Amino acid sequence: MRVLAAMSGGVDSAVAAARAVDAGHDVVGVHLALSETPDALRSGSRGCCSREDAADARRAADVLGIPFYVWDFAARFREDVVDDFVAAYAAGQTPNPCLRCNEKIKFAALLDKALALGFDAVCTGHYARLVAGELRRAVDADKDQSYVLAVLTRHQLAHAMFPIGDTPKPAVRAEAAARGLRVADKPDSHDICFIPSGDTRTFLGSRLGVRPGPIVDAATGAELARHDGVHGFTVGQRKGLGIDAPATDGRPRYVLGIEPATGTVTVGPATALDVRAIEGARPVWSAGVAPAARFDCVAQVRAHGGVAAAVAEPTAGGLRVELREPLRGVAPGQAVALYRPDPAGDVVLGSATITATA
């Protein structure tokens, strides 16, 4: 089988490519150039896609003895991931750029090009498993990335390979060292790759400018402070609200809601963050077809954590999820991923983009 190995320059994708070679596949390595200013996207363990990363990927390919190329996807990445991220925050949403990158870049733009060139599959270093066509959680629960892969369609999963999903991260590093791969001890990338500083508010402010509005108390409607733009807030946020006076009960305030049209940020107590129902749009079903009726599942609303037993039901072009126990910090723009409610709870059933909560 002809396999295109996406090599980010990190240890995970290098070992994944090595395992594809060991399996007897005809493997070609490719590094995706996602930044129009690559030197600006790596700062220690923050960021990715720098010239350093491309060089690390090339060296790994040389050790494996496979052809290696760099493909320029910078314009597509800017449009589908970065611009989408900025627009979502401007609309009062909380997007997940890693999820969008998997959906639009690695398993749309990259996979489409790979198939057009005669490859059978795209291999990545994601921590997830494919078993009999089903997407499952990784063995290493701390590294599991099935949540950000739940946007993949049945067609995309049929042409995907996740060779390291059955291995804990320490063992992956040990294997890389044994193979002579210099990236064995390279730090993992953290935060958002195109914001290497980690300062999301400043990044968004530089693109959206000042859009002042009030911060109001949910109970009284009183204005508590002013802000420079709703892009600086997300549902569930506690710090950085800029409110001088404490709440009357002395307890912390949290962001409960964001109204971009008026620029209003509503704050209140933690108990008001409880969500028992989720509405979603653009559902993707891993099996290729939507369930015919209501079904039991396990819902997850963040990459790590935010998990609850639930009942889900397809609606006209969307999805409704009723949680059996409340979750907090659930924001429009995030994804809700659904898992099979068996004891293992590791089979992905589908996902949707959260549009509303109750």
Side-chain angles (χ1 to χ4, degrees), residues 62-290:
D62 289 343
V63 171
L64 301 179
I66 61 175
F68 177 82
Y69 301 92
V70 175
W71 288 356
D72 184 358
F73 277 33
R76 182 74 180 264
F77 183 78
R78 183 189 67 247
E79 178 180 344
D80 288 341
V81 180
V82 180
D83 290 351
D84 175 83
F85 177 83
V86 174
Y89 263 99
Q93 301 174 351
T94 305
N96 185 315
C98 295
L99 185 150
R100 196 66 66 230
C101 182
N102 288 325
E103 177 188 19
K104 298 291 188 179
I105 305 300
K106 293 175 183 174
F107 294 96
L110 177 62
L111 178 58
D112 289 348
K113 185 172 181 177
L115 295 177
L117 292 173
F119 289 93
D120 301 296
V122 166
C123 166
T124 73
H126 284 99
Y127 281 84
R129 294 178 294 149
L130 282 169
V131 181
E134 293 181 327
L135 177 63
R136 294 175 177 256
R137 293 189 187 275
V139 167
D140 190 333
D142 291 335
K143 291 295 182 180
D144 174 55
Q145 293 175 293
S146 61
Y147 171 84
V148 295
L149 295 170
V151 291
L152 302 188
T153 66
R154 182 175 180 83
H155 167 73
Q156 291 167 333
L157 291 172
H159 296 282
M161 292 176 60
F162 308 124
I164 65 170
D166 61 352
T167 308
K169 180 64 179 256
V172 170
R173 289 197 180 279
E175 181 177 334
R179 291 178 179 273
L181 297 169
R182 289 176 52 181
V183 292
D185 296 321
K186 185 175 180 178
D188 292 338
S189 294
H190 295 293
D191 301 310
I192 299 169
C193 72
F194 52 87
I195 310 179
S197 69
D199 188 346
T200 301
R201 179 177 289 191
T202 297
F203 171 84
L204 291 167
S206 68
R207 284 155 176 78
L208 295 173
V210 176
R211 299 182 179 187
I215 299 176
V216 303
D217 183 86
T220 66
E223 182 174 315
L224 303 174
R226 302 286 295 178
H227 64 77
D228 291 334
V230 296
H231 57 265
F233 303 89
T234 185
V235 171
Q237 178 178 333
R238 173 185 174 184
K239 297 181 179 180
L241 302 184
I243 301 173
D244 295 329
T248 55
D249 61 5
R251 295 181 178 179
R253 295 185 179 96
Y254 298 80
V255 174
L256 305 182
I258 300 170
E259 175 48 62
T262 61
T264 302
V265 175
T266 303
V267 298
T271 53
L273 287 169
D274 286 351
V275 166
R276 295 183 178 276
I278 296 171
E279 299 287 342
R282 299 194 305 121
V284 175
W285 302 105
S286 302
V289 293

Side-chain angles (χ1 to χ4, degrees), residues 28-46:
V28 173
V30 62
H31 178 79
L32 303 186
L34 301 180
S35 172
E36 292 160 324
T37 55
D39 289 332
L41 288 190
R42 161 76 57 185
S43 177
S45 63
R46 293 184 182 273

